């Protein structure tokens, strides 16, 4: 699963070498916190995918990784199978309209986004879940 790093200024989607290959992307995705408009959890991320991979890799129901081009703007997806996921809607980001990411740490991410954030990037998996 993808690694999500969050600090007081930005969210970073840190891609492994395999994820970089499948997304056809050289670097990680960086989003300033001020560009995050909304985040929500879903158990079926596949119904939220829209558009066509451009560039990207897809095997329906198995993986969807890369940029999905749509008339509403580009989405970035790192989706694996039918696992819990998070959808992050962006406002004013220069590259993407939404991020669709499979992660078992969705609740921690939503909780951490409500907090001020650490000075240094912190793996969302290390943020204690809400009580």
């Amino acid at each position: 699963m993808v690694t999500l790093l969050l600090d007081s200024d930005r969210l970073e989607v840190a891609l492994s070498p395999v994820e970089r290959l499948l997304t056809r992307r050289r670097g990680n995705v960086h989003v300033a916190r001020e560009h995050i408009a909304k985040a929500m959890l879903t158990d079926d991320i596949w119904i939220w995918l829209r558009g066509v991979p451009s560039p990207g890799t897809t095997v329906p129901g198995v993986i969807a990784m890369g940029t999905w081009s749509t008339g509403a703007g580009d989405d970035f997806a790192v989706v694996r199978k039918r696992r819990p996921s998070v959808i992050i809607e962006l406002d004013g980001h220069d590259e993407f309209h939404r991020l669709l990411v499979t992660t078992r740490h969705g609740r921690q991410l939503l909780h951490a986004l409500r907090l001020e954030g650490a000075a240094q990037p912190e793996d969302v998996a290390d943020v204690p879940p809400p009580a």
Side-chain angles (χ1 to χ4, degrees):
M1 292 205 185
V2 70
T3 301
L4 300 171
L5 303 172
L6 184 67
D7 65 17
S8 60
D9 296 327
R10 68 181 181 172
L11 171 68
E12 180 177 355
V13 181
L15 302 171
S16 71
V18 171
E19 290 165 340
R20 287 175 197 253
L21 178 68
L22 293 174
T23 60
R24 298 187 184 143
R25 186 174 176 87
R26 290 186 178 169
N28 296 336
V29 175
H30 301 273
V31 177
R33 284 178 79 132
E34 64 210 31
H35 293 297
I36 298 173
K38 182 169 58 170
M40 57 191 149
L41 301 174
T42 183
D43 286 330
D44 188 4
I45 193 72
W46 294 94
I47 64 172
W48 292 91
L49 278 174
R50 61 186 183 192
V52 293
S54 177
T57 304
T58 183
V59 177
V62 180
I63 64 166
M65 294 190 188
T67 301
W68 258 245
S69 295
T70 71
D74 291 345
D75 295 344
F76 183 75
V78 181
V79 174
R80 289 189 173 92
K81 300 186 181 177
R82 299 209 180 271
R83 297 183 177 152
S85 302
V86 65
I87 301 159
I88 303 168
E89 291 189 13
L90 307 175
D91 185 23
H93 190 263
D94 58 345
E95 192 173 4
F96 299 114
H97 185 254
R98 297 184 315 168
L99 304 177
L100 297 95
V101 181
T102 299
T103 178
R104 63 178 163 256
H105 304 292
R107 287 188 184 272
Q108 288 98 323
L109 174 62
L110 293 176
H111 177 70
L113 285 171
R114 290 188 197 123
L115 303 176
E116 285 298 313
Q120 296 295 320
E122 186 176 4
D123 190 335
V124 171
D126 297 334
V127 174

